[in-house]
Amino acid sequence: MNRFEKAKKIYADLGVDVEEALEALKNTCIAVHCWQGDDVVGFDSRESLSGGIQTTGNYPGRATTPEELMADYDKAFSLIPGKKKLNLHASYAIFEEGEKVGRDRLEPRHFQKWVEFAKERKVGIDFNPTFFSHPMVKNNLTLSSPDDTVRRYWIDHGKACLKIAEYFADETGVPCVMNIWIPDGYKDVPADRLGPRKRFRESLDEILATPYDPKKVYVTLESKVFGIGLESYTVGSAEFCLSYSDHKKITPLMDNGHYHPTEAVSDKISSLLLFNEKIALHVTRAVRWDSDHVVILDDETREIAKEIVRNRALDRVFIATDYFDASINRIFAWVTGVRSVQKALLAALLQPNERLAALQEEGNFTEVMYWFEELKLAPLGDIWNEFLRREGLEENYYNAIRKYEKEVLEKRK
Ligand code: RNT
Ligand code: ZN
């Protein structure tokens, strides 16, 4: 018996069907965020990153053109097993030489190259309007601005993006998740908390009045607790976004960097699943604040994965990664983060979840803890390596990335 077969036997003795777990993992799609490749700069305004989010580090080799970003995406995709999707921001529109188009006037054709790229790789595309890093963000406000011109600009951006999202779905044949996140907020104690939220609500209503097919485009709304320079008040708070999503029957999105430090998104998933057909996640790693560190196989990532798997919600949760580390090799960051999400999902799939739930129902908390601790040392790695092997991948992805760094990244100006 090789290591995989031995491991499979150990799991079988626990009542876990390894083949079923591998099959489920293979079919679980992860939307891979394009913005890890270029530190969230994009191609349109190339303004420095704003909106209360921050990349730190200046590791060499950042992608600065669509060609470079696509090549890096390809490298990362070639090292990530399983089903994937592109996740683009509107700021990654690709214009013709000399063309200049405002975000309020974006059209599907500005994303035609991305569609070709996705089709060639047989993957779907998710999309995000970009409400930051742009001169039309005034006083850190977009859709909640008291300035009609500013608000109009961003409402038109949202409307334009809905059309582009539908175009992605039509072209790729895969539904597009379009996520709305605005940075709007105040550094200091506001004099009016209601006004901005009322305007945000009205702006969203206007965007969503654009006709679109909800079977093709899933609109999600992402909440946040604070941003850098926006510490005291965030317009799109958790309560606002959950209430709005419920009211309009769109999909709530939770980013696990967007809550108070002792709150856990893993604990929120079951509640949202009870009241929503679909939910969406941005999987990230917050170190002391919403720092967007690369996802690793840590406790909270594992707990999030458990909540998706044991609630049989793999087909109800849109899973996307969202982090940006500029201090290490960016392709390594991409691959490591996505693989970590997949490892967490595999670990969850390899637990005797029904048995553990039954023990809890019986009130046998002693045995529940016994298994939780024992399962931590079960041979997950041998099953993971078999998953990689079946996907045509090696365990060691560091060498391939190092080679690409030497041959491609180090040659970039
Ligand atoms: C910001 C949000 C948002 C962004 C991306 C770039 O705090 O998490 O999702 O990270 O849209
Ligand atoms: Zn996010």
Side-chain angles (χ1 to χ4, degrees):
M1 274 211 267
N2 64 22
R3 286 178 64 152
F4 170 64
E5 283 157 0
K6 279 188 196 149
K8 193 169 161 179
K9 169 91 178 47
I10 293 171
Y11 282 110
D13 291 346
L14 291 168
V16 174
D17 186 332
V18 167
E19 290 301 333
E20 211 175 274
L22 287 171
E23 190 59 24
L25 183 61
K26 190 175 130 191
N27 294 322
T28 302
C29 185
I30 313 279
V32 181
H33 61 308
C34 76
W35 48 96
Q36 168 55 52
D38 77 330
D39 311 342
V40 213
V41 176
F43 306 130
D44 69 343
S45 69
R46 291 181 195 266
E47 290 245 327
S48 58
L49 185 58
S50 67
I53 54 178
Q54 185 96 72
T55 50
T56 52
N58 54 358
Y59 199 83
R62 182 178 83 79
T64 57
T65 63
E67 294 71 30
E68 286 177 354
L69 188 63
M70 286 179 187
D72 293 357
Y73 227 142
D74 262 340
K75 190 73 222 172
F77 267 35
S78 76
L79 297 167
I80 297 170
K83 221 168 137 186
K84 301 168 276 283
K85 233 178 159 182
L86 300 180
N87 195 1
L88 299 179
H89 245 285
S91 52
Y92 291 80
I94 301 175
F95 301 130
E96 302 282 320
E97 260 307 288
E99 193 184 12
K100 194 131 179 68
V101 180
R103 288 192 189 157
D104 58 335
R105 298 269 173 274
L106 285 173
E107 292 172 46
R109 67 185 174 89
H110 300 122
F111 293 87
Q112 193 195 322
K113 291 218 171 78
W114 283 113
V115 163
E116 285 162 16
F117 180 82
K119 278 183 172 172
E120 277 163 25
R121 284 140 193 90
K122 299 194 172 49
V123 295
I125 310 178
D126 285 348
F127 196 47
N128 307 259
T130 312
F131 296 101
F132 54 84
S133 305
H134 193 278
M136 279 306 279
V137 181
K138 307 274 191 209
N139 291 329
N140 299 315
L141 301 174
T142 63
L143 291 178
S144 75
S145 170
D147 179 334
D148 286 339
T149 327
V150 171
R151 215 167 57 248
R152 169 61 32 214
Y153 185 86
W154 293 110
I155 290 169
D156 288 345
H157 177 53
K159 285 172 167 286
C161 285
L162 258 181
K163 297 224 169 70
I164 295 163
E166 199 160 67
Y167 159 75
F168 287 155
D170 284 335
E171 290 289 322
T172 63
V174 183
C176 173
V177 176
M178 191 191 94
N179 179 48
I180 298 177
W181 168 72
I182 60 163
D184 299 32
Y186 292 101
K187 180 185 174 79
D188 228 313
V189 186
D192 173 17
R193 288 188 166 88
L194 183 65
R197 290 190 171 130
K198 188 166 173 284
R199 289 189 292 268
F200 185 26
R201 173 186 172 156
E202 285 162 4
S203 300
L204 287 171
D205 286 350
E206 233 189 281
I207 292 172
L208 295 177
T210 312
Y212 72 95
D213 181 348
K215 287 267 163 291
K216 291 184 191 163
V217 180
Y218 287 88
V219 177
T220 65
L221 185 62
E222 178 180 12
S223 66
K224 193 160 179 175
V225 63
F226 83 96
I228 294 183
L230 309 160
E231 287 86 356
S232 301
Y233 169 82
T234 300
V235 181
S237 62
E239 295 72 18
F240 177 96
C241 290
L242 271 185
S243 306
Y244 189 88
S245 299
D246 187 55
H247 170 67
K248 279 290 201 181
K249 300 297 164 224
I250 58 168
T251 302
L253 185 147
M254 295 189 290
D255 178 313
N256 59 300
H258 290 190
Y259 295 84
H260 293 278
T262 57
E263 272 186 283
V265 161
S266 53
D267 183 60
K268 302 176 190 294
I269 291 173
S270 48
S271 301
L272 263 57
L273 283 174
L274 275 175
F275 298 100
N276 293 276
E277 157 135 6
K278 305 267 188 197
I279 68 166
L281 297 177
H282 271 184
V283 186
T284 190
R285 178 164 53 109
V287 178
R288 304 193 189 280
W289 66 288
D290 180 33
S291 61
D292 287 292
H293 278 66
V294 178
V295 177
I296 56 174
L297 187 58
D298 59 7
D299 286 349
E300 175 58 0
T301 310
R302 293 175 77 130
E303 208 58 28
I304 287 173
K306 282 191 220 163
E307 286 300 314
I308 302 171
V309 168
R310 60 192 174 197
N311 296 321
R312 300 183 178 285
L314 278 169
D315 57 348
R316 291 175 56 203
V317 182
F318 297 117
I319 306 173
T321 46
D322 179 18
Y323 50 82
F324 19 98
D325 193 332
S327 74
I328 55 175
N329 182 303
R330 293 173 183 80
I331 293 155
F332 171 82
W334 246 330
V335 178
T336 301
V338 182
R339 281 190 179 208
S340 298
V341 176
Q342 294 170 320
K343 286 176 186 166
L345 289 167
L346 181 61
L349 286 160
L350 291 173
Q351 295 217 338
N353 290 307
E354 276 164 27
R355 195 164 142 202
L356 293 168
L359 287 170
Q360 175 180 314
E361 301 251 298
E362 286 163 24
N364 192 345
F365 309 118
T366 311
E367 197 176 338
V368 169
M369 190 189 282
Y370 170 75
W371 284 117
F372 277 172
E373 292 312 296
E374 285 305 294
L375 285 161
K376 284 181 181 167
L377 298 184
L380 170 66
D382 293 330
I383 310 291
W384 170 255
N385 289 340
E386 173 67 11
F387 178 60
L388 291 178
R389 199 189 59 76
R390 292 184 188 184
E391 291 279 308
L393 290 170
E394 290 172 22
E395 294 158 32
N396 187 321
Y397 61 103
Y398 179 79
N399 292 343
I401 288 170
R402 193 64 196 115
K403 184 164 179 273
Y404 186 76
E405 176 163 274
K406 280 211 147 61
E407 289 169 3
V408 180
L409 302 180
E410 282 178 9
K411 304 221 160 83
R412 285 182 189 161
K413 286 278 156 302

